């Protein structure tokens, strides 16, 4: 059962699509207590055994207990354990224990979930203004509650089948030749691949919806040539529109008043990759439609997929921020003047100050450090929402959602019969109807393989089914073993993309020794695509989860509930990736009898029935493990070099004798 409560004057976020009557709050909301005296605060006394699920793209475990999380879409590439905010804001949690209650706080600004952080057994959810909708969902299990939630937020985005292929990306591919070399590296080594991503360097001076003509002399022909090799090129689109006379998108946006504005009505200016930019006001329906229509510039050139980036929106610095630094420097200069010239000029100290930022006084340094993604900047611009100016910080978490909605709505019009790949970095619940997400800038760290795994079911709970992480890690230098182990998890994530940052060690699969191991691991993905895509479609069509925590399927098994390094996938599988270095296997927990499967490097398949309980499984770097649930089977096909080449004539069934599988196709 779903109940909707209203507090104050909420902003309409469009997260929920179901029409639900508002319930009276006589006698509370049936769960915890609420105060609206000093902002909004929900309080709930947790039982010792309660598990708290949800929060989508968030740090730490599947059970969110024992830490605090702040919904605040943040451009922060350092996902260390203490971080409280990542790129998405997904305000749905499930309290699972004696009762199972789902709570969705539909509030588009900063919202703090203190889940036993301040006090071990106390859950509080609080925000500054008591203006929100609160949805309270009761059901018989955490799984049931989650499915009810998924139903009210509307059907998740369906990615095209080709988007279940493998993709290679790197920030640093600049020219058509660079891209061709990547494709050659894969095709020559017979490592299957379907997508190569175009990071910011394909653009002319980082201008959205442009292509650098020197780097790509005949872009449509190039796109077609790639298609002929069964490669989809997926360009990045950034939120900021470069300020440059003669650039049509900038000029049109200014003329129509479609950029975010300062209080005085002037267009807000922020620096991102292109230098000074304006942000399209994607919360204004007319501006959203306008920005979305620009994607046609690239679809007209043959492009059929996009990734939307920097849409928290990320701000390197603003004009106001620079002015403040300048003011602090001027004040410092004045102070030095006052101290007399002998102390500053003419001796070494003066030069030191100029050359060494650390020598700058605290005031100047702190202003400089505050430049990037400064909360003050988010108070400096406004959205025009149906004629009303709304200050950005009050609706901050909706920007990435609406940028991707702009694209999603437009692509439906541009090509109504064709599915396009679309995913975003920043998001809010509601965006899941328009596109998927990737989990942003992770690092080539073993701990981030595990973080990737743990985020997947939480994201599914919040509607984001087409999702994945930068395999091999974005920042830092990757090693061969790390990439292989991470790919063996990526085999199962809907988005399977290897992506790395500029300046890091090259981590395309053909850069390492024994390429056959990479060929094999990615080959396994292609053998599984009919099954994985079928389970993806079933999950989306039934408001169900593709990835689930073990506790969703085995709610009475405490050991299963506490197992956070294995996941249920679809109705048939349990996955148990290896995520530590220098090991030849791992310990797994089986909540019931299952069949252990290993895809061996020689193409054979190892099968062994294992009893309920704890086992140590050996998994070499070049093997892909999975478990098939008792009485189930899955289809597998022969390896293909691209999704289009998958031959259903080669299908065989793997698992328990006598089982059958219903394959759902597009
Ligand atoms: C951001 C993105 C990353 C991309 C880079 C350059 O950091 O998250 O994926 O490679 O910008 O565009």
């Amino acid at each position: 059962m779903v109940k909707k409560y209203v507090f104050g004057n909420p902003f309409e976020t469009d997260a929920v699509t179901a029409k639900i009557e508002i319930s009276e709050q006589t006698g509370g909301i049936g769960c915890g207590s609420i105060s609206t005296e000093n902002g909004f605060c929900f309080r709930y006394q947790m039982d010792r055994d309660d598990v708290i699920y949800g929060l989508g793209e968030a740090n730490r475990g599947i059970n969110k207990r024992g830490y605090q999380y702040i919904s605040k879409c943040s451009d922060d590439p350092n996902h260390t354990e203490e971080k409280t905010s990542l790129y998405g804001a997904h305000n749905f949690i499930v309290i699972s224990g004696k009762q199972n209650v789902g709570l969705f706080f539909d509030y588009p600004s900063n919202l703090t979930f203190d889940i036993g952080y301040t006090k071990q057994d106390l859950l509080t959810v609080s925000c500054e203004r008591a203006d929100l909708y609160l949805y309270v969902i009761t059901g018989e299990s955490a799984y049931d509650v989650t499915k009810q939630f998924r139903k009210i937020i509307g059907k998740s985005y369906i990615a095209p089948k080709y988007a279940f292929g493998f993709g290679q990306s790197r920030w640093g591919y600049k020219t058509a030749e660079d891209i061709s070399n990547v494709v050659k590296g894969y095709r020559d080594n017979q490592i299957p691949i379907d997508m190569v991503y175009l990071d910011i360097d394909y653009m002319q001076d980082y201008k959205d919806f442009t292509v650098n003509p020197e780097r790509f002399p005949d872009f449509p022909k190039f796109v077609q040539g790639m298609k002929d090799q069964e490669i989809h090129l997926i360009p990045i689109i950034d939120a900021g529109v470069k300020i440059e006379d003669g650039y049509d998108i900038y000029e049109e946006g200014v003329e129509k008043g479609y950029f975010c504005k300062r209080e005085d009505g002037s267009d807000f200016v922020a620096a991102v990759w292109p230098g000074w930019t304006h942000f399209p006001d994607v919360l204004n329906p007319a501006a959203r439609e306008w920005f979305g229509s620009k994607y046609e510039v690239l679809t007209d050139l043959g492009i059929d997929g996009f990734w939307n980036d920097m849409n928290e929106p990320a701000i390197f610095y603003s004009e106001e921020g620079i002015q403040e630094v300048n003011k602090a420097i001027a004040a410092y200069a004045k102070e030095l003047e006052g101290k007399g010239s002998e102390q500053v000029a003419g001796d070494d100290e003066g030069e030191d100050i100029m050359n060494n930022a650390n020598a700058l006084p605290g005031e100047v340094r702190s202003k400089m450090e505050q430049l990037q993604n400064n909360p003050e900047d988010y108070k400096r611009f406004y959205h025009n929402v149906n004629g009303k100016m709304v200050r950005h910080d009050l609706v901050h978490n909706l920007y990435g959602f609406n940028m991707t909605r702009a694209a999603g709505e437009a692509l439906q019009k541009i090509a109504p019969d064709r599915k396009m790949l679309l995913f975003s970095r920043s998001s809010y619940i509601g965006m899941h109807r328009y596109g998927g997400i990737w989990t942003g800038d992770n690092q080539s760290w073993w701990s981030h393989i595990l973080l990737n795994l743990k985020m997947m079911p939480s994201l599914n709970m919040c509607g984001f089914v087409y999702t994945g992480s930068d395999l091999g890690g974005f920042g830092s230098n990757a090693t061969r073993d790390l990439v292989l182990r991470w790919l063996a998890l990526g085999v199962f994530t809907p988005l399977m993309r290897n992506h790395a940052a500029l300046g890091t060690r090259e981590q395309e699969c053909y850069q390492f020794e024994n390429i056959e191991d990479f060929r094999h691991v990615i080959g396994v993905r292609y053998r599984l695509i009919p099954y994985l895509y079928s389970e993806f479609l079933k999950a989306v069509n039934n408001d169900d989860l593709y990835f689930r925590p073990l506790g969703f399927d085995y709610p009475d098994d405490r050991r299963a509930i506490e197992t956070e390094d294995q996941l249920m996938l679809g109705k048939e599988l349990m996955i148990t990736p290896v995520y530590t270095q220098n090991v030849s296997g791992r310990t797994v927990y089986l909540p019931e009898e299952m069949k252990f499967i290993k895809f061996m490097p020689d193409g054979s398949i190892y099968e062994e029935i294992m009893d309920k309980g704890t086992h140590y499984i050996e998994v070499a770097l070049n093997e892909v493990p999975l478990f098939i649930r008792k009485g189930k089977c899955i289809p597998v096909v022969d390896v293909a070099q691209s999704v289009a080449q998958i031959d259903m004539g080669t299908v065989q069934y793997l698992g328990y004798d006598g089982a059958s599988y219903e394959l759902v196709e597009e």
Side-chain angles (χ1 to χ4, degrees):
M1 188 171 61
V2 184
K3 288 201 156 189
K4 176 180 180 180
Y5 299 96
V6 63
F7 299 88
N9 254 324
F11 186 87
E12 299 297 332
T13 66
D14 293 343
V16 171
T17 49
K19 297 270 166 286
I20 303 166
E21 295 282 307
I22 306 273
S23 290
E24 293 296 324
Q25 289 168 46
T26 38
I29 60 158
C31 165
S33 64
I34 284 170
S35 93
T36 52
E37 263 148 44
N38 257 324
F40 172 89
C41 186
F42 166 82
R43 294 164 72 87
Y44 181 86
Q45 192 62 35
M46 296 182 284
D47 270 355
R48 269 295 141 91
D49 284 346
D50 279 350
V51 174
I52 311 297
Y53 291 111
L55 291 185
E57 187 179 346
N59 217 344
R60 300 226 173 186
I62 292 177
N63 181 354
K64 307 310 284 188
R65 255 185 113 136
Y67 205 55
Q68 62 170 337
Y69 310 86
I70 302 172
S71 284
K72 178 177 63 172
C73 296
S74 299
D75 163 37
D76 179 349
N78 293 310
H79 310 162
T80 43
E81 220 175 296
E82 84 284 6
K83 291 293 166 73
T84 49
S85 305
L86 301 178
Y87 303 93
H90 307 145
N91 303 339
F92 173 62
I93 55 170
V94 183
I95 303 168
S96 177
K98 284 197 197 94
Q99 51 171 344
N100 290 285
V101 185
L103 299 161
F104 175 50
F105 301 84
D106 190 8
Y107 181 79
S109 186
N110 293 5
L111 180 69
T112 302
F113 292 83
D114 180 331
I115 310 183
Y117 171 74
T118 304
K119 279 188 135 192
Q120 196 170 300
D121 294 330
L122 183 66
L123 161 69
T124 63
V125 183
S126 56
C127 54
E128 223 175 272
R129 289 167 301 119
D131 294 319
L132 69 152
Y133 292 113
L134 170 57
Y135 295 81
V136 181
I137 307 168
T138 46
E140 56 200 34
S141 63
Y143 192 8
D144 171 43
V145 164
T146 305
K147 282 195 284 192
Q148 290 187 55
F149 175 62
R150 288 278 307 281
K151 217 185 194 88
I152 66 165
I153 58 173
K155 189 169 154 174
S156 301
Y157 158 78
I158 297 186
K161 193 170 183 186
Y162 82 76
F164 267 65
F166 172 74
Q168 180 62 54
S169 185
R170 180 178 175 84
W171 174 16
Y173 301 153
K174 281 197 162 64
T175 61
E177 197 188 349
D178 291 344
I179 303 292
S180 299
N181 286 339
V182 174
V183 175
K184 194 168 155 29
Y186 277 91
R187 290 279 180 251
D188 283 1
N189 286 296
Q190 295 196 310
I191 309 171
I193 186 166
D194 273 85
M195 286 158 286
V196 179
Y197 288 77
L198 302 178
D199 207 320
I200 46 176
D201 295 298
Y202 80 88
M203 293 184 245
Q204 175 72 55
D205 303 323
Y206 308 134
K207 282 183 287 191
D208 279 338
F209 312 112
T210 67
V211 177
N212 183 311
E214 272 149 41
R215 294 174 179 177
F216 295 89
D218 188 345
F219 191 69
K221 191 167 159 218
F222 183 67
V223 175
Q224 188 54 48
M226 284 290 147
K227 277 209 179 128
D228 295 343
Q229 298 177 68
E230 276 150 6
I231 298 290
H232 299 258
L233 294 179
I234 315 295
I236 196 169
I237 304 291
D238 282 348
V241 170
K242 185 174 172 67
I243 298 176
E244 187 186 277
D245 287 339
Y247 171 35
D248 54 350
I249 298 187
Y250 157 71
E251 290 186 341
E252 260 176 60
V254 170
E255 191 198 307
K256 295 182 197 281
Y258 285 164
F259 292 125
C260 292
K261 300 209 178 300
R262 297 191 180 99
E263 202 178 359
D264 67 4
S266 61
D267 291 329
F268 178 70
V269 177
V272 207
W273 300 126
W276 294 119
T277 67
H278 291 321
F279 293 134
D281 184 2
V282 286
L283 269 71
N284 168 355
R288 184 162 69 232
E289 197 182 342
W290 166 77
F291 189 72
S293 71
K294 300 300 170 195
Y295 284 74
E296 199 165 8
V297 172
L298 290 163
T299 57
D300 278 352
L301 302 176
I303 292 298
D304 56 4
F306 298 91
W307 49 311
N308 282 347
D309 192 24
M310 307 301 275
N311 51 5
E312 293 67 34
I315 297 178
F316 294 167
Y317 47 87
S318 67
E319 282 190 336
E320 288 86 344
I322 293 290
Q323 279 159 17
E324 277 176 16
V325 172
N326 285 341
K327 259 193 243 156
I329 291 174
Y332 176 51
K334 218 164 180 189
E335 194 187 311
L336 291 181
E337 250 174 53
K339 282 187 184 162
S341 57
E342 76 279 11
Q343 261 186 295
V344 276
D347 63 14
D348 289 350
E349 202 186 342
E351 267 189 17
D352 272 1
I353 290 168
M354 299 307 290
N355 294 335
N356 181 358
N358 288 329
L360 290 170
E363 177 66 7
V364 176
R365 238 183 314 147
S366 97
K367 287 272 179 256
M368 284 169 78
E369 279 160 15
Q370 283 165 23
L371 280 175
Q372 195 162 357
N373 303 321
N374 185 345
E376 289 306 310
D377 280 334
Y378 294 121
K379 294 181 186 160
R380 288 184 172 125
F381 63 97
Y382 290 76
H383 299 278
N384 174 354
V385 183
N386 305 319
K388 205 174 140 219
M389 297 312 276
V390 179
R391 206 174 71 194
H392 175 80
D393 64 315
L394 305 177
V395 289
H396 173 69
N397 293 337
L398 299 179
Y399 194 87
F401 166 10
N402 282 286
M403 179 192 175
T404 301
R405 180 181 185 176
E409 286 173 343
L411 293 173
Q412 276 159 22
K413 278 192 217 143
I414 294 166
D417 307 327
R418 215 160 104 218
K419 288 195 188 76
M420 301 253 183
L421 173 56
L422 179 62
F423 60 90
S424 172
R425 190 168 76 174
S426 185
S427 59
Y428 184 82
I429 291 173
M431 202 215 84
H432 68 286
R433 300 191 297 271
Y434 301 96
I437 54 173
W438 97 101
T439 60
D441 299 351
N442 56 13
Q443 303 272 343
S444 299
W445 297 341
W446 291 88
S447 60
H448 277 186
I449 303 182
L450 191 54
L451 185 61
N452 177 177
L453 176 98
K454 289 180 181 179
M455 260 194 250
M456 295 294 108
S458 310
L459 281 168
N460 277 208
M461 291 174 209
C462 298
F464 297 93
V465 190
Y466 187 80
T467 167
S469 298
D470 287 349
L471 302 173
F474 177 73
S476 311
N477 290 331
T479 54
R480 177 179 187 274
D481 54 350
L482 176 127
V483 177
L484 271 172
R485 290 297 196 198
W486 211 330
L487 286 172
L489 162 61
V491 159
F492 301 102
T493 59
L495 168 65
M496 186 190 193
R497 179 177 79 144
N498 176 336
H499 181 46
L502 189 70
T504 57
R505 185 179 187 186
E506 293 177 322
Q507 64 186 45
E508 294 82 7
C509 295
Y510 51 83
Q511 305 282 7
F512 300 101
E513 69 261 43
N514 299 102
I515 293 175
E516 63 275 17
D517 292 342
F518 293 85
R519 178 185 309 138
H520 171 62
V521 172
I522 294 177
V524 172
R525 162 67 165 219
Y526 281 73
R527 300 194 69 180
L528 291 169
I529 284 175
Y531 172 71
L532 299 177
Y533 196 60
S534 166
E535 286 307 300
F536 171 76
L537 292 175
K538 286 182 193 173
V540 170
N541 291 333
N542 302 316
D543 301 314
D544 205 334
L545 287 85
Y546 171 96
F547 281 127
R548 294 178 307 284
L550 270 57
F552 272 38
D553 290 56
Y554 305 96
D556 302 322
D557 180 342
R558 191 71 206 174
R559 179 80 198 276
I561 291 170
E562 290 179 8
T563 299
E564 294 209 348
D565 58 356
Q566 308 174 190
L567 296 177
M568 307 310 296
L569 188 172
K571 295 291 185 231
E572 288 74 21
L573 300 187
M574 181 174 79
I575 62 162
T576 61
V578 176
Y579 54 89
T580 41
Q581 193 163 23
N582 300 325
V583 296
S584 45
R586 59 163 287 177
T587 303
V588 296
Y589 173 65
L590 271 56
E592 61 176 330
E593 179 202 294
M594 291 186 189
K595 192 176 229 183
F596 177 43
I597 300 285
K598 255 195 312 187
F599 287 88
M600 307 302 285
D602 65 0
S604 66
I605 295 174
Y606 174 85
E607 306 182 37
E608 180 189 344
I609 289 185
M610 289 187 174
D611 292 337
K612 171 182 161 89
T614 306
H615 302 265
Y616 182 83
I617 54 166
E618 302 219 330
V619 186
L621 272 178
N622 55 8
E623 295 170 355
V624 181
L626 59 82
F627 286 86
I628 299 182
R629 295 175 77 170
K630 194 172 176 191
K632 306 276 188 191
C633 72
I634 62 164
V636 286
V637 288
D638 285 357
V639 176
Q641 290 302 304
S642 69
V643 171
Q645 281 178 26
I646 289 176
D647 177 3
M648 287 308 289
T650 62
V651 70
Q652 48 168 306
Y653 290 86
L654 205 58
Y656 282 83
D657 292 340
S660 64
Y661 179 76
E662 186 211 346
L663 186 77
V664 174
E665 289 176 282
E666 271 174 293

